[in-house]
DNA sequence: GAATGATATCGACGGTTGTCAATGTGTGGG
DNA sequence: CCCACACATTGACAACCGTCGATATCATTC
């Protein structure tokens, strides 16, 4: 975020904060990590409940927050819901922190 | 954060969430932006109160959070406190989001 | 050393957040 | 059709967060 660029607008800051808030939770960070480090780059709720040691409703809640923030993608196949990372979403956030040009 | 790497540990997730929480606020995002886009890459509280339209105690509070998270550096010169970005701190966070290897 | 000005800290208030137990929804099998 | 299963939603609660007004600290000037 080096100098040379103009300062961030208030509305832009609001948008970005929503996405950063979605990641700024230990359990959600682990969710993203678990999904991205999985074999097929996707995981269902049942695969994520145990490693986080959280109840199923809580995991679903965190996943919803990540989906609403545009970071995760939800695809229902049969009885299971598969979550995957939206391509480029994390890189876009990373860019904000480096972006200076 | 692509696949291939191992999943994030719980304690590592706690550490990272502290830093992401520090940034995950609209006003603090603007603070970082204002400081990094300033001429000398530093700013005092009096320079930051007006553009954010917040009271001085509130701005000091936000700055303290960013300092505690290791993102800002505080240097007192005379009566003023100059805040600057800790070199590499934001890039380290950005790396977590890209880092997949 | 009293007064001024820049920051920091404190206490309180409403709003948000993470968690869980309970319940709802929807799919597939028998 | 009913049951079992995977997941989502609701409601409630404690804990945390952002904001402000009031006050404290601390360096400078007269």
């Amino acid at each position: 975020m080096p100098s040379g660029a103009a300062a961030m607008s208030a509305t832009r800051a609001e948008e970005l904060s929503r996405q950063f808030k979605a990641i700024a939770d230990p359990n959600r960070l682990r969710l993203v990590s678990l999904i991205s480090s999985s074999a097929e780059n996707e995981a269902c709720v049942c695969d994520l409940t145990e490693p986080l040691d959280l109840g199923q409703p809580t995991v679903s809640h965190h996943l919803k927050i990540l989906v609403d923030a545009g970071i995760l993608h939800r695809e229902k196949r049969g009885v299971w819901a598969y979550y995957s990372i939206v391509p480029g979403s994390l890189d876009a956030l990373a860019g904000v922190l480096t972006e200076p040009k």
Side-chain angles (χ1 to χ4, degrees), chain A residues 62-78:
Chain A
H62 285 310
L63 289 170
K64 177 175 173 51
I65 290 177
L66 288 167
V67 169
D68 290 347
I71 292 168
L72 289 189
H73 170 70
R74 178 179 181 270
E75 182 187 354
K76 188 154 190 181
R77 288 204 298 269

Side-chain angles (χ1 to χ4, degrees), chain A residues 32-90:
Chain A
V32 171
S33 171
L34 282 168
I35 294 174
S36 61
S37 67
S38 71
E40 293 300 330
N41 284 328
E42 64 180 10
C44 59
V45 182
C46 57
D47 293 333
L48 301 168
T49 298
E50 180 214 333
L52 261 67
D53 197 39
L54 287 178
Q56 172 265 317
T58 304
V59 172
S60 280
H61 174 232
H62 285 310
L63 289 170
K64 177 175 173 51
I65 290 177
L66 288 167
V67 169
D68 290 347
I71 292 168
L72 289 189
H73 170 70
R74 178 179 181 270
E75 182 187 354
K76 188 154 190 181
R77 288 204 298 269
V79 186
W80 297 277
Y82 289 91
Y83 289 88
S84 58
I85 301 200
V86 172
S89 58
L90 294 180

Side-chain angles (χ1 to χ4, degrees), chain A residues 1-2 12 82:
Chain A
M1 221 175 199
R12 173 101 177 103
Y82 289 91

